[in-house]
Amino acid sequence: MYVYQSIAQSLFDHGQGTMFGLMGDANLFMVDHYVREGGGTFVPVAYEGSAVLMALAYGRVAGRVGVATVTHGPALTNCVTALTEGARGHVPMVLLAGDTPVSNPHNLQNIDQRETVKVTGAGFEQMRSPETASYDVAHAFYRAQVEKRPIVLNMPADFMWQEVEHVSHVFPAFNAPAYVPAGDDLDEAVGMIASAKRPIILAGIGAKDSVPQIIELADRLEAPLATTLKAKGMFSGHPYNIDIFGTLSTPAAYEAIDKADCVVAFGTSLHQFTTDKGALMKGKRVVQINDTVTEVSKNYHPHAALVADAGLTAKNIIWWLDEAEIPGSGFTAELDMEVLTAHPKGNPEKAKPGYVNFEYALDRLEEALPKDRFLTTDGGRFMTEVWCRLSVPDAESFIATTNFGSIGLGLQVAIGAGFAIPGRSVILFTGDGGFMMGGINEFNTAVRMKQDLIVIVANDSAYGAEHIQFLDRKMDPGLSMFDWPSFADVATALGGQGVQVNSAEDLETAIQAIATRDGPLLIELRLDPNDVPRMRL
């Protein structure tokens, strides 16, 4: 077969039935074979970076390596932000990137693709020859799994029509599983936990496979449970779940955390927002359990650390507590959980004419949106209020596109997640700036692919973070403000359904549209730029 056919077949050898991408002269024949001969699902995007973001989300939610493809030169440079987001989020995926023909160094689109990829933190894998094509594809998948980051496979365009004998290569991703440690570190950690009077259990997304064991430890210690932002929803339904730990905690929960004397952290690198730049850890013993040694002490130096499996370590700590007959702490008996988890209710009367109160809108949408939702958010000043007020059923049902601090990534992530969870509704909250940057060019992709998607645009007609900085310095914010088109009308023009919300009454109309939707729905919340809650960071 030809090389382009061998590459497509290699994807099927790895069980890859879905690929996101945009075709060009270096990858179009591979995509054609993947779809027409292999029966694969190809999701055509409008912008190359979108393919990477969709593949990242699809892979993370589906629990596998996501796959995307683009052509060369400007197609790859358009992926730089997305690749950086994936690399910083430690998400494995493979990007099949074409490269200009080796024989044509003066091609207009020729760049040093290795150096372009290098700056993103993603890995680079060169397809060495036509004969090694399937091997190089397999090695890219292997590296993505063990390195936990995107790997770009560079495919010279002049290889594609070379004839080769296809050899199936699939390399198992060997890993060294972490176990329960022994010795002085374990003794010290257990001693700190056993002597705690007010312990708190904190879990990050790295502990997502150990939820039952962590809950068992919390119940044994009579300790409340909390999560990092990325693990939001991990302990949904538990009576002593105080939700997000750190700057996103309610004032009452922050006070309760401040009174704690020990934090037992599983699967988190203890980011500065989680610790409030270390303020929440003062006066406490901090025990960190993580199966990745580079994540230990990455952001905060704990008093004791165990490089170990979260679930096995939680069970082991329980065994030692039982062996020593250590009683429960009684901390949970001191807590009023209703007070600890309550955010101030939004007031619909607070909004000026022509606008809706954001907190009130979020409270109503929390009630009205499908309960079995998948939630994702774009970047913007609106996002922290969404994180605090919107619930999710579990940690696997939430992604915040915050690894690189960029706006304009949310809709692409929402679409990718939707392909991994057919039959469930995906909810995206985005700002007006983020939607104009990265949402408007892919909303029609969601329409074409018949996604069950609800997009809520927080439209304050401004770049919010910049707007507030101007106001804080008593400067004219005019340069941060924009007279956008009606996003509701744009959504309708792009083949979906749009509803504009200028009042509490309009919000009820939008909620009715949620119940009757038959395709992608966009709800545009018109917000007063001077009355949007500040970010809780």
Side-chain angles (χ1 to χ4, degrees), residues 314-335:
K315 296 288 287 186
N316 187 252
I317 292 170
I318 293 170
W319 188 89
W320 282 111
L321 293 174
D322 291 344
E323 188 75 5
E325 298 182 350
I326 303 296
S329 68
F331 189 23
T332 51
E334 302 177 20
L335 304 176

Side-chain angles (χ1 to χ4, degrees), residues 218-476:
D219 292 343
R220 173 65 178 79
L221 287 170
E222 297 175 14
L225 289 154
T227 73
T228 63
L229 170 64
K230 288 185 178 182
K232 175 181 170 64
M234 184 176 284
F235 303 121
S236 290
H238 192 278
Y240 294 107
N241 171 31
I242 63 175
D243 205 26
I244 303 173
F245 184 112
T247 56
L248 296 173
S249 299
T250 67
Y254 191 100
E255 184 178 345
I257 294 168
D258 193 46
K259 291 179 180 178
D261 60 0
C262 182
V263 177
V264 187
F266 291 90
T268 168
S269 62
L270 297 175
H271 190 274
Q272 64 172 345
F273 293 137
T274 301
T275 66
D276 195 4
K277 297 180 180 178
L280 274 176
M281 300 306 185
K282 289 181 179 178
K284 302 174 180 59
R285 295 287 190 176
V286 178
V287 178
Q288 188 178 19
I289 299 98
N290 203 302
D291 64 2
T292 306
V293 68
T294 54
E295 296 298 301
V296 175
S297 298
K298 178 180 179 180
N299 299 306
Y300 181 87
H301 287 275
H303 296 90
L306 305 175
V307 181
D309 177 83
L312 292 174
T313 302
K315 296 288 287 186
N316 187 252
I317 292 170
I318 293 170
W319 188 89
W320 282 111
L321 293 174
D322 291 344
E323 188 75 5
E325 298 182 350
I326 303 296
S329 68
F331 189 23
T332 51
E334 302 177 20
L335 304 176
D336 185 332
M337 296 306 298
E338 186 173 347
V339 172
L340 286 183
T341 56
H343 294 275
K345 289 293 184 183
N347 180 4
E349 304 301 322
K350 184 182 175 184
K352 293 180 181 179
Y355 299 112
V356 65
N357 177 261
F358 190 44
E359 297 101 320
Y360 173 74
L362 292 179
D363 291 343
R364 283 291 292 122
L365 289 168
E366 162 65 12
E367 298 170 355
L369 288 168
K371 299 306 177 188
D372 186 28
R373 68 188 67 142
F374 184 98
L375 175 67
T376 187
T377 61
D378 204 343
R381 68 167 164 173
F382 67 90
M383 64 188 180
T384 57
E385 208 64 33
V386 175
W387 296 339
C388 293
R389 292 177 182 270
L390 270 289
S391 63
V392 290
D394 51 56
E396 300 294 318
S397 300
F398 174 70
I399 295 179
T401 61
T402 55
N403 293 298
F404 193 28
S406 175
I407 67 172
L409 311 184
L411 185 54
Q412 304 91 313
V413 167
I415 293 173
F419 276 93
I421 48 170
R424 290 180 60 191
S425 301
V426 178
I427 317 298
L428 166 69
F429 280 84
T430 182
D432 47 312
F435 188 75
M436 285 295 289
M437 182 182 292
I440 199 167
N441 57 2
E442 297 299 350
F443 187 81
N444 180 254
T445 301
V447 173
R448 285 185 284 110
M449 305 310 292
K450 298 178 172 57
Q451 295 282 283
D452 183 2
L453 175 67
I454 302 172
V455 178
I456 295 96
V457 180
N459 181 13
D460 60 3
S461 300
Y463 286 127
E466 291 70 29
H467 182 271
I468 198 68
Q469 289 190 60
F470 280 127
L471 292 182
D472 283 349
R473 294 181 182 274
K474 296 181 171 54
M475 296 171 66
D476 182 353

Side-chain angles (χ1 to χ4, degrees), residues 11-178:
L11 297 180
F12 294 117
D13 293 343
H14 285 81
Q16 296 289 343
T18 300
M19 178 168 59
F20 304 85
L22 201 159
M23 290 192 301
D25 60 346
N27 68 347
L28 76 166
F29 302 114
M30 181 272 290
V31 172
D32 182 81
H33 186 81
Y34 178 81
V35 174
R36 299 187 191 281
E37 299 300 325
T41 297
F42 179 67
V43 181
V45 302
Y47 179 76
E48 289 91 351
S50 301
V52 174
L53 292 165
M54 291 179 194
L56 289 167
Y58 174 84
R60 179 182 153 181
V61 177
R64 60 186 308 144
V65 178
V67 182
T69 185
V70 299
T71 190
H72 47 71
L76 183 62
T77 61
N78 283 344
C79 297
V80 167
T81 297
L83 287 170
T84 307
E85 173 75 11
R88 294 193 178 183
H90 307 293
V91 183
M93 64 90 59
V94 170
L95 174 61
L96 303 174
D99 197 4
T100 50
V102 176
S103 58
N104 184 14
H106 301 294
N107 187 296
L108 285 176
Q109 296 183 328
N110 185 37
I111 58 170
D112 188 333
Q113 301 205 158
R114 182 186 296 272
E115 291 300 311
T116 301
V117 171
K118 184 177 178 181
V119 300
T120 70
F124 184 88
E125 183 73 21
Q126 178 65 48
M127 186 169 286
R128 297 163 296 159
S129 68
E131 292 74 23
T132 64
S134 62
Y135 183 101
D136 296 334
V137 171
H139 192 59
F141 275 94
Y142 170 79
R143 287 185 60 194
Q145 293 175 81
V146 299
E147 296 175 23
K148 294 183 172 64
R149 61 172 176 162
I151 302 296
V152 177
L153 178 63
N154 205 52
M155 311 181 302
D158 46 356
F159 286 4
M160 294 300 159
W161 285 91
Q162 299 294 314
E163 290 191 51
V164 295
E165 180 180 347
H166 177 77
V167 179
S168 177
H169 293 285
V170 178
F171 303 127
F174 300 110
N175 56 55

